[in-house]
Amino acid sequence: MQNLTRITRNPEVMGGKPCIRGMRVTVSTIIGLMASGHRNSDIIKAYPYLEEADIYEALAYTAWRAEEIEVSLISA
């Protein structure tokens, strides 16, 4: 996976959810807005401190997470 420099995780910010550059805007907020049909320009208008590169990195992070495979562990 490429180095994602705009996605941060801090237990003291939004409960440790992946956020954009340490701000209180989660990756899931960005992805949810896009899934609802909002364009990049709409998102930046609602969150003017975001940059278009933040949105693309949120998409890249989400795609990377979707490709991970979870394996159930058998209890001993």
Side-chain angles (χ1 to χ4, degrees):
M1 180 64 208
Q2 66 186 11
N3 187 19
L4 300 175
T5 59
R6 294 174 174 267
I7 307 298
T8 57
R9 294 182 76 173
N10 179 343
E12 296 179 13
V13 178
M14 300 301 285
K17 292 179 181 180
C19 292
I20 306 296
R21 294 184 284 128
M23 296 183 282
R24 300 182 65 79
V25 180
T26 63
V27 169
S28 61
T29 297
I30 301 299
I31 299 306
L33 288 168
M34 295 194 81
S36 297
H38 294 277
R39 296 172 296 172
N40 289 3
S41 59
D42 300 330
I43 296 169
I44 291 171
K45 186 175 180 181
Y47 300 92
Y49 39 85
L50 291 180
E51 300 171 3
E52 196 165 31
D54 297 325
I55 296 169
Y56 290 124
E57 193 153 308
L59 285 168
Y61 177 82
T62 302
W64 172 68
R65 292 288 297 167
E67 289 296 319
E68 288 189 355
I69 299 172
E70 293 188 23
V71 178
S72 299
L73 300 176
I74 299 172
S75 299

